[in-house]
Amino acid sequence: IDSPLYAGRYAKRIELNPGSAAPVYLNLFADRPELIDYKPEQLEAHRALVRQAAKLFGSHHYAHYDFLYSVGDQIEQKGLEHHQSSENGTDPETFTDWDKTAWERDLLAHEYTHSWNGKFRRPADLWTPDYNVPMQNSLLWVYEGQTQYWGNVLAARSGLRTRQQALDEMADTAAYYENETGSQWRALQDTTNDPIINPRHPQSWGDWQRFEEYYSEAGLIWLEIDTLIRERSGGKRSLDDFARAFFGINDGSYTVVTYTFDDVVKALNAVEPYDWATYLRARLDSSGKPAPLEGIARGGYKLVYKDSQTDYQKATESQRGRTYLSYSLGLVIDEKEHSGSLLQVAWNSPAFRAKLTEGMQILAINGVAYDADVLKDAIRAAQGSGAPIEFIVQNGDRFMVVNIDYRGGLRYPRLERAASVPARLDEILTPR
């Protein structure tokens, strides 16, 4: 269960912390040998990840740790944590197109964090004496949510992402939850039941159903908590102190230590006295409330929308083969497998109200054959002229002409510095 095996023709094994009593190895597997010809600075970022995690948690809970890491299409691209290893898979171009793959480079930081949060310290209702006793998930917003937070932070602190890339990733996450409609009816706490009631089966209208929001939305809550501790303590304490005190106990031990909601609250109060129980329950159990974006504001930034993409967004769009129009028309469009195919339609967006749905194929825009640039030009033109955008779409063996009455122009999120507030986000992302 806890000892997965990877094998491959092209493989490399690199020790990331030479001389340590608890070695950490990067085990690379690829479809072609050139895909794992990493550059020295890329290797150094992975070594820095191990150093930054050690500084954050101040302990380890493994005899050795192995990143099993495939870059290619032959092994599933995923992340799966174990106590002393993790299964990781990303695009074939992870190392060869380093500048274009920053969007996926929090993966190893996330799975490595799980050795402390989730495997060593585990929610009490996720610990079971054997595999016949069903697990419960009430604290996944800690198990996955805080891990999501530290994955993003450690990726920046180690250099797997630049600080600007980390900020751009936060902007994308914040914009998603600012615009997500499902929060009108479904509380974050309820999404911790998703692995039980729908274990990652395909579903439509994900932004309305709110699938597994205990990852990224909870990550925003932990950013709120981190910046609130920093603000209240005058910069003397932070969530780093919580991580060391909560996950850094029993250095060298592999024996699981469970925790409850009350344990989390107690540990937060030991770092910074506050009514954390009320604070957390208000964010976990409520629906119809604004997205948890106070951490960005207290971090010294504000979420804005511009008509041009950040470099991070351009690279992500290119690498993933998608066109993202989530905050204008409400569409994500495939450009890789089936150009013009609708991958996502945002609930109650202009495209949704025009009856477009996932799986339809865009054939033409305003009488011109579909191309991503043609569609973007049409959105710009509609902002000036006020004329609806005409789509010709195919749905199975049916063809339709659809007019979308949208005049808001292109909208891409980014974070802008708010000079009146200390740059706490910059401090959080700075290497230790």
Side-chain angles (χ1 to χ4, degrees):
I1 295 297
D2 199 35
S3 299
L5 171 69
Y6 272 33
R9 182 176 180 182
Y10 304 111
K12 290 183 179 180
R13 192 176 201 223
I14 310 102
E15 189 171 356
L16 297 179
N17 57 345
S20 173
V24 179
Y25 296 98
L26 181 64
N27 303 275
L28 294 174
F29 301 84
D31 306 336
R32 304 190 306 275
E34 66 271 19
L35 297 180
I36 50 177
D37 285 341
Y38 51 80
K39 295 178 179 179
E41 59 269 25
Q42 296 168 349
L43 176 58
E44 172 54 28
H46 289 84
R47 285 182 164 154
L49 169 61
V50 178
R51 294 196 300 270
Q52 289 297 320
K55 291 179 179 180
L56 175 62
F57 297 113
S59 67
H60 71 277
H61 304 290
Y62 46 79
H64 61 87
Y65 190 94
D66 282 270
F67 290 106
L68 304 178
Y69 190 11
S70 66
V71 288
D73 298 319
Q74 299 305 308
I75 299 176
E76 182 183 5
Q77 295 181 7
K78 66 173 182 180
L80 181 61
E81 68 273 16
H82 301 281
H83 201 144
Q84 301 191 87
S85 67
S86 57
E87 300 173 65
N88 309 278
T90 55
D91 287 342
E93 299 82 9
T94 294
F95 292 103
T96 57
D97 274 345
W98 184 259
D99 292 338
K100 293 183 178 179
T101 56
W103 64 273
E104 64 188 11
R105 283 207 297 274
D106 65 324
L107 173 62
L108 268 62
H110 180 107
E111 303 307 338
Y112 190 38
T113 297
H114 271 315
S115 183
W116 289 268
N117 181 14
K119 293 303 179 182
F120 168 60
R121 294 225 65 178
R122 191 173 305 172
D125 59 4
L126 272 172
W127 185 93
T128 57
D130 56 56
Y131 291 100
N132 295 320
V133 179
M135 294 181 178
Q136 302 300 315
N137 301 324
S138 66
L139 289 167
L140 280 179
W141 53 272
V142 185
Y143 181 118
E144 292 292 3
Q146 193 172 150
T147 298
Q148 187 80 356
Y149 179 68
W150 289 127
N152 293 335
V153 170
L154 288 172
R157 290 183 184 178
S158 64
L160 289 168
R161 282 180 180 154
T162 66
R163 184 181 71 179
Q164 188 58 53
Q165 288 167 344
L167 291 172
D168 291 343
E169 169 63 26
M170 286 184 185
D172 287 346
T173 301
Y176 178 84
Y177 290 105
E178 183 175 64
N179 291 274
E180 186 199 50
T181 51
S183 59
Q184 297 173 17
W185 73 273
R186 192 179 188 194
L188 172 61
Q189 180 66 63
D190 188 53
T191 73
T192 65
N193 295 309
D194 283 340
I196 298 172
I197 62 177
N198 181 28
R200 299 189 175 175
H201 295 156
Q203 60 179 204
S204 299
W205 313 114
D207 60 328
W208 179 251
Q209 296 201 48
R210 278 174 61 75
F211 183 64
E212 294 190 354
E213 304 296 19
Y214 54 80
Y215 276 91
S216 295
E217 185 176 344
L220 290 174
I221 292 174
W222 287 109
L223 174 61
E224 284 192 339
I225 293 170
D226 196 350
T227 55
L228 184 56
I229 293 172
R230 291 168 186 267
E231 180 183 63
R232 288 176 56 84
S233 67
K236 296 178 181 178
R237 293 178 295 280
S238 70
L239 199 63
D240 290 52
D241 299 294
F242 171 89
R244 179 176 285 263
F246 198 70
F247 300 114
I249 62 174
N250 303 353
D251 185 26
S253 172
Y254 322 140
T255 303
V256 173
V257 179
T258 62
Y259 61 84
T260 64
F261 177 83
D262 290 341
D263 293 328
V264 174
V265 170
K266 181 179 178 180
L268 285 170
N269 275 312
V271 174
E272 180 63 34
Y274 191 65
D275 188 1
W276 293 112
T278 299
Y279 185 94
L280 287 168
R281 294 267 56 104
R283 282 153 179 76
L284 295 170
D285 300 334
S286 300
S287 59
K289 299 289 182 65
L293 304 185
E294 292 178 12
I296 289 174
R298 272 196 300 269
Y301 284 83
K302 58 183 177 180
L303 177 65
V304 299
Y305 296 86
K306 300 289 186 178
D307 61 4
S308 60
Q309 293 172 295
T310 64
D311 290 340
Y312 176 81
Q313 290 164 347
K314 290 177 184 176
T316 301
E317 194 171 83
S318 172
Q319 182 66 19
R320 302 195 74 181
R322 297 178 178 183
T323 295
Y324 290 94
L325 300 169
S326 303
Y327 310 116
S328 52
L329 295 179
L331 294 175
V332 177
I333 306 169
D334 182 22
E335 308 293 350
K336 197 170 187 178
E337 301 294 332
H338 304 285
S339 181
S341 177
L342 301 186
L343 295 175
Q344 296 175 24
V345 179
W347 188 270
N348 204 32
S349 64
F352 174 93
R353 294 192 293 273
K355 312 296 188 199
L356 293 186
T357 60
E358 200 174 289
M360 287 183 175
Q361 184 88 18
I362 306 174
L363 302 179
I365 302 294
N366 291 339
V368 179
Y370 171 77
D371 177 87
D373 289 334
V374 169
L375 177 52
K376 291 178 182 180
D377 287 342
I379 294 172
R380 294 186 187 98
Q383 186 177 16
S385 69
I389 305 170
E390 182 188 82
F391 287 69
I392 299 177
V393 299
Q394 182 177 1
N395 187 17
D397 60 357
R398 303 283 176 160
F399 296 83
M400 299 185 298
V401 176
V402 175
N403 291 302
I404 299 184
D405 190 11
Y406 172 74
R407 300 179 177 85
L410 294 168
R411 299 178 75 241
Y412 299 103
R414 66 179 68 195
L415 298 186
E416 283 189 351
R417 181 76 178 91
S420 60
V421 181
R424 297 187 180 95
L425 262 182
D426 294 352
E427 297 170 5
I428 289 170
L429 299 174
T430 299
R432 298 300 183 258

